[in-house]
């Protein structure tokens, strides 16, 4: 598997096939781990950092985690490749922009990614489509066991897994569920989500928004507490309590919109589709916003000739680095907007 | 600092850089939530936790300059970045760290959950499992009824039921 293989299709998590995928885009779990006997990264010398990266890379590549594991040396990788990995949710933005020896291992059809030398020595991530938290936990727990057989993870009986930042200590787990909530947004009821999450001490944030806007109506719900609660218990809050509630709110909002403002909703969906099928210049923000309406239209049965996986894929493949990789060259802003519009028109089967 | 919209204490501080110009926003949680999609309640930044903590507890148990013998980090240096230098720091700065951990983790002081096999593996007694199952069902019902106050209480009970039997409750 090469990095360039990634540009022409979406990973498993965007297939639009998982449970509840009309609302739940993806389920993600990550575990933070450090290796005992090595300083945390903030206190590593250049040499220690390199030694760690080699040790972890070798362990991952010899642990047979998967039939195919791609390891990207991020210190050597060009900017555009690193940006591509951010767009695919395989590395964090700080990891892209950091300096020094670091990398990422990608396996199992991109459901598994292991960042090496991010804030912690290892950040293991499993990302799956729809609501699949138990499956994600099973997968990541097994990977953690495999790595632990070869690496002595820093652990304290009282504090649990020791992490560079005390906000992650204990289980080192971060559970995040990405939701598409255009109904609640249109109905002006998005604060219901914040309320449901807040009392369970879960964080909600807009996913693609720059600054104050949650462009494309994507929201991410994640846990903040990592100490004093078991992994099962943390996951159970999402699976049995908060996410079903939010899904119900979104369904209610959609039903209400369809019975009271059906024409207005249809108008939005059709305008969005019309715009995407005719525009000659498209910014990333406009594309996100319009695709969000189209996605709602598909879910409401108002758009018949598109399916969810195709719309999901467009969210991913119309991002800057993906477009430039597809075209094989660096583009300035206007050229990017033109390339994006061309690509969207072609994929949506328009003139 | 007060919320720019309603004068309640501001808990959300946002800085944005656009076109080379930095802007700052200070809002209370409610006003931030109302400003559609503002990234509210993201993981509370460690710096904020530290600031609150330092205001509340002015006397530290260690001399400010005391450094971890393993990695050399001082509490003051940790405060600046929010990142520890090595695995020993948790035990070394235990006293100063404790209130901060409780703030960040809903009052918790002890790890629950997975234990590495080489440290003895995981095991949760069956009786406790059953209690927890019952409490979680009640919790689901409370949330169903949108009784978030009760839900929060049940959450606390679940946490207590999970806590180590030997830990002070
Ligand atoms: Zn306010
Ligand atoms: Zn240290």
């Amino acid at each position: 598997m090469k990095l360039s293989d990634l540009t022409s299709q979406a990973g498993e998590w965007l297939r639009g096939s998982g449970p509840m995928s009309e609302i739940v885009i993806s389920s993600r779990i990550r575990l933070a781990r450090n290796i005992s006997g090595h300083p945390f990264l903030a206190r590593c010398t250049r040499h220690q950092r390199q030694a760690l990266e080699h040790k972890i890379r070798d362990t991952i590549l010899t642990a047979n985690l998967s039939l195919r594991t791609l390891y990207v040396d991020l210190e050597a990788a060009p900017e555009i490749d690193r940006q591509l990995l951010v767009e695919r949710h395989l590395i964090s933005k700080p990891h892209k922009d950091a300096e020094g020896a670091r990398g990422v291992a990608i396996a199992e059809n991109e459901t598994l990614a292991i960042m090496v030398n991010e804030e912690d020595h290892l950040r293991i991530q499993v990302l799956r489509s729809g609501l699949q938290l138990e499956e994600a936990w099973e997968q990541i727990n097994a990977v953690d066991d495999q790595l632990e057989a070869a690496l002595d993870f820093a652990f304290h009986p009282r504090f649990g897994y020791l992490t560079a930042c005390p906000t992650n200590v204990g289980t080192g787990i971060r559970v995040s569920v990405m939701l598409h909530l255009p109904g609640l947004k249109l109905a002006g009821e998005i604060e219901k989500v914040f309320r449901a999450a807040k009392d369970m001490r879960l964080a909600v944030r807009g996913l693609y928004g720059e600054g104050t806007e949650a462009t494309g109506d994507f929201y991410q719900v994640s846990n903040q507490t990592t100490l004093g609660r078991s992994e099962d218990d943390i996951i159970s809050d999402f699976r049995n309590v908060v996410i079903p509630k939010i899904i119900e709110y979104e369904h209610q909002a959609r039903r209400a919109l369809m019975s009271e403002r059906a024409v207005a909703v249809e108008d939005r969906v059709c305008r969005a589709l019309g715009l995407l099928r005719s525009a000659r210049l498209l910014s990333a923000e406009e594309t996100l916003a319009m695709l969000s309406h189209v996605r709602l239209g598909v879910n409401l049965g108002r758009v018949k000739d598109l399916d969810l996986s195709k719309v999901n894929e467009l969210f991913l493949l119309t991002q800057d680095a993906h477009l430039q990789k597809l075209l094989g060259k660096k583009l300035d802003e206007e050229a990017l907007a033109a390339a994006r519009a061309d690509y969207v028109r072609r994929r949506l089967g328009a003139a | 600092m007060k919320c720019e919209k309603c004068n309640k204490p501001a808990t959300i501080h946002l800085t944005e850089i656009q076109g080379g110009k930095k802007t700052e926003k200070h809002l209370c949680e409610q006003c931030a939530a109302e400003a559609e999609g503002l990234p509210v309640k993201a993981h509370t930044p460690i710096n904020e936790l530290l600031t609150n903590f330092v205001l509340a507890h002015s006397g530290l148990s260690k001399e400010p300059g005391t450094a971890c013998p393993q990695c050399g980090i001082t509490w003051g240096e940790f405060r600046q970045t929010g990142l520890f230098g090595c695995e020993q720091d948790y035990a070394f700065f235990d006293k100063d760290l404790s209130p901060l951990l409780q703030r960040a983790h809903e009052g918790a002081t002890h790890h629950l959950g997975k234990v590495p096999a080489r440290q003895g593996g995981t095991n949760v007694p069956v009786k406790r499992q059953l209690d927890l199952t019952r409490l979680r069902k009640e919790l689901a019902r409370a949330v169903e009824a949108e009784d978030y106050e009760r839900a929060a209480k049940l959450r606390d009970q679940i946490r207590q039921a999970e806590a180590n039997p030997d830990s002070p409750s």
Side-chain angles (χ1 to χ4, degrees):
Chain A
M1 182 159 67
K2 302 191 305 291
L3 203 54
S4 54
D5 296 342
L6 299 181
T7 44
S8 53
Q9 55 172 44
E12 187 276 341
W13 64 277
L14 267 178
R15 294 280 149 80
S17 54
M20 309 283 175
S21 55
E22 77 283 5
I23 292 173
V24 182
I25 305 283
S26 64
S27 303
R28 162 161 45 185
I29 298 182
R30 77 107 167 99
L31 296 174
R33 299 289 188 253
N34 289 280
I35 302 171
S36 186
H38 295 260
F40 292 156
L41 288 154
R43 287 265 150 177
C44 274
T45 63
R46 230 177 94 84
H47 181 78
Q48 284 171 320
R49 195 183 165 100
Q50 256 165 14
L52 262 170
E53 197 261 346
H54 277 85
K55 182 188 172 96
I56 300 168
R57 179 203 300 213
D58 287 348
T59 305
I60 291 170
L61 292 175
T62 53
N64 299 325
L65 297 176
S66 162
L67 290 176
R68 287 186 338 154
T69 304
L70 170 75
Y71 187 94
V72 183
D73 175 347
L74 292 170
E75 192 180 16
E79 156 86 21
I80 182 104
D81 287 2
R82 288 180 279 132
Q83 179 59 34
L84 184 83
L85 294 167
V86 172
E87 289 178 4
R88 296 183 85 83
H89 297 210
L90 294 168
I91 65 172
S92 65
K93 198 159 178 309
H95 202 42
K96 162 190 169 264
D97 296 330
E99 282 173 15
R102 68 197 192 283
V104 63
I106 301 159
E108 295 296 323
N109 202 0
E110 292 179 62
T111 57
L112 174 64
I114 306 170
M115 284 192 278
V116 178
N117 287 0
E118 208 242 24
E119 188 177 285
D120 296 292
H121 297 159
L122 294 99
R123 286 274 175 102
I124 313 165
Q125 159 183 298
V126 164
L127 183 56
R128 302 178 68 115
S129 66
L131 188 57
Q132 295 197 63
L133 287 170
E134 279 96 346
E135 294 82 353
W137 168 245
E138 237 169 73
Q139 188 181 351
I140 202 167
N141 192 27
V143 170
D144 185 47
D145 285 345
Q146 272 177 290
L147 292 171
E148 181 203 299
L151 300 168
D152 187 10
F153 288 149
F155 184 88
H156 184 282
R158 178 148 62 91
F159 298 113
Y161 289 94
L162 302 172
T163 52
C165 180
T167 53
N168 298 314
V169 77
T171 52
I173 200 172
R174 183 85 67 225
V175 178
S176 310
V177 176
M178 199 212 294
L179 301 146
H180 186 227
L181 305 172
L184 285 166
K185 184 72 180 298
L186 271 174
E189 292 177 342
I190 204 74
E191 53 41 80
K192 278 179 158 183
V193 176
F194 288 91
R195 242 189 310 131
K198 191 182 150 200
D199 292 307
M200 302 297 285
R201 292 270 302 195
L202 301 178
V204 181
R205 63 181 188 90
L207 192 71
Y208 287 113
E210 296 270 329
T212 58
E213 260 301 295
T215 315
D217 310 328
F218 289 103
Y219 294 85
Q220 183 167 287
V221 183
S222 49
N223 68 302
Q224 304 181 87
T225 301
T226 56
L227 182 70
R229 306 194 68 212
S230 68
E231 294 87 353
D232 279 344
D233 198 32
I234 290 168
I235 290 165
S236 160
D237 275 359
F238 283 85
R239 179 72 189 81
N240 301 322
V241 184
V242 177
I243 301 302
K245 196 76 214 169
I246 295 176
I247 290 172
E248 194 191 313
Y249 287 151
E250 174 67 16
H251 277 310
Q252 279 169 6
R254 290 183 187 184
R255 273 198 302 272
L257 284 170
M258 285 316 284
S259 69
E260 291 152 27
R261 293 164 61 193
V263 179
V265 173
E266 184 135 22
D267 179 66
R268 274 209 193 224
V269 172
C270 294
R271 275 170 187 271
L273 203 50
L275 193 147
L276 290 173
R277 281 184 163 147
S278 353
R280 261 50 185 175
L281 291 174
L282 277 175
S283 72
E285 294 70 33
E286 191 175 24
T287 308
L288 270 174
M290 293 303 115
L291 280 174
S292 174
H293 295 321
V294 171
R295 195 176 190 279
L296 177 65
V298 172
N299 279 327
L300 294 174
R302 286 307 194 248
V303 179
K304 309 277 192 204
D305 58 337
L306 290 173
D307 60 20
L308 269 194
S309 72
K310 189 162 199 174
V311 179
N312 284 354
E313 221 173 73
L314 277 174
F315 278 110
L316 181 76
L317 302 180
T318 55
Q319 297 176 97
D320 290 359
H322 275 81
L323 285 171
Q324 296 179 70
K325 272 296 227 194
L326 276 171
L327 294 170
K329 58 183 173 197
K330 192 153 173 42
L331 301 172
D332 64 24
E333 203 172 319
E334 182 155 339
L336 259 176
R340 188 176 291 112
D342 284 345
Y343 185 73
V344 169
R345 284 204 316 279
R346 208 164 61 240
R347 292 296 300 261
L348 293 181
Chain B
M1 185 168 297
K2 289 195 169 145
C3 170
E4 358 178 290
K5 293 199 171 165
C6 77
N7 261 359
K8 269 186 269 178
T11 52
I12 311 287
H13 308 279
L14 200 77
T15 52
E16 265 179 277
I17 298 172
Q18 269 176 342
K21 260 188 69 181
K22 189 165 153 188
T23 55
E24 287 184 44
K25 280 184 190 149
H26 308 280
L27 298 167
C28 73
E29 229 161 74
Q30 229 167 353
C31 290
E34 274 159 22
E36 305 172 322
L38 187 71
V40 187
K41 294 285 288 183
H43 314 301
T44 316
I46 188 78
N47 288 332
E48 199 177 305
L49 289 168
L50 286 163
T51 317
N52 293 342
F53 163 67
V54 170
L55 289 177
H57 308 75
S58 44
L60 291 174
S61 71
K62 281 196 166 52
E63 288 295 311
T66 314
C68 163
Q70 190 76 30
C71 72
I73 200 171
T74 64
W75 182 254
E77 284 169 322
F78 161 66
R79 267 177 42 190
Q80 278 172 12
T81 61
L83 296 174
F84 276 138
C86 80
E87 61 194 295
Q88 310 296 336
D89 298 345
Y90 280 89
F92 187 71
F93 295 111
D94 186 6
K95 285 249 156 43
D96 296 324
L97 180 63
S98 233
L100 191 153
L101 283 181
Q102 290 185 37
R103 232 169 217 289
H105 300 286
E106 303 177 69
T109 52
H110 284 67
H111 171 59
L112 270 170
K114 186 168 183 175
V115 174
R118 60 177 90 214
Q119 304 268 351
T122 315
N123 107 69
V124 180
V126 180
K127 163 83 173 69
R128 217 144 42 92
Q129 279 292 28
L130 290 175
D131 284 352
L132 284 169
T133 310
R134 182 182 55 78
L135 284 168
R136 286 195 195 117
K137 275 197 190 131
E138 275 182 54
L139 175 61
R141 271 199 297 274
V143 173
E144 179 63 30
E146 299 188 26
D147 187 354
Y148 295 121
E149 209 174 306
R150 175 161 167 73
K153 277 194 192 122
L154 283 162
R155 275 282 313 274
D156 288 346
Q157 286 183 31
I158 289 172
R159 215 175 47 235
Q160 271 175 18
E162 279 189 332
N164 265 331
D166 56 332
S167 73
S169 57

